[in-house]
Amino acid sequence: MDSPRGLTSQALLTSLYAAFNERDIPTLLAAMTPDVSWPNGWEGGVVRGREEVSAYWRRQWDQIEPTVTPTAFTTEADGRIAVTVHQTVHDKSGVKLADHTATHVYRLDKGLVTEMEIRD
């Protein structure tokens, strides 16, 4: 599926991981539907809508420095895109808190993210 920017789903998601690692919230939010459903992998639960996602990331980035790199993409039977990611998390002083692999599963609609799920 192509995004409104003419990118494939894989290219779109790859660019969004780069934006996340650069802390580029405007680019990230522009790629989401207004009512996006997003997992709060740091504090627990789910946040809904661009404003809640933005607030969640700002709280997170005030405390920790996560870096998430996609390593593989697959399309699931229901059309969602599963992305295997390598994630490292450091505290603000540079101490590594986490280094692991997870799967992020995205539902896209017309090239915008409508929902994301985390599978460890």
Side-chain angles (χ1 to χ4, degrees), residues 18-29:
F20 177 86
N21 292 333
E22 294 167 7
R23 310 299 185 245
D24 181 355
I25 289 177
T27 295
L28 291 163
L29 297 180

Side-chain angles (χ1 to χ4, degrees), residues 1-115:
M1 172 185 297
D2 286 345
S3 74
R5 297 179 222 163
L7 300 175
T8 64
S9 297
Q10 181 173 333
L12 171 69
L13 293 170
T14 298
S15 72
L16 294 180
Y17 282 104
F20 177 86
N21 292 333
E22 294 167 7
R23 310 299 185 245
D24 181 355
I25 289 177
T27 295
L28 291 163
L29 297 180
M32 298 177 176
T33 59
D35 61 346
V36 65
S37 175
W38 197 265
N40 183 330
W42 183 49
E43 301 160 321
V46 174
V47 294
R48 299 195 188 281
R50 291 176 181 156
E51 288 183 24
E52 286 187 18
V53 171
S54 176
Y56 159 60
W57 281 333
R58 290 177 195 282
R59 286 191 311 276
Q60 181 185 79
W61 296 337
D62 280 347
Q63 301 294 316
I64 58 175
E65 293 290 338
T67 301
V68 185
T69 305
T71 60
F73 295 81
T74 58
T75 302
E76 298 198 330
D78 64 2
R80 293 185 299 167
I81 309 298
V83 184
T84 304
V85 298
H86 177 236
Q87 181 170 342
T88 58
V89 180
H90 293 83
D91 69 13
K92 289 298 192 172
S93 67
V95 173
K96 187 181 288 185
L97 303 174
D99 186 342
H100 68 274
T101 299
T103 302
H104 294 167
V105 183
Y106 294 88
R107 184 173 309 281
L108 302 177
D109 182 29
K110 298 178 184 145
L112 296 176
V113 176
T114 63
E115 140 183 286

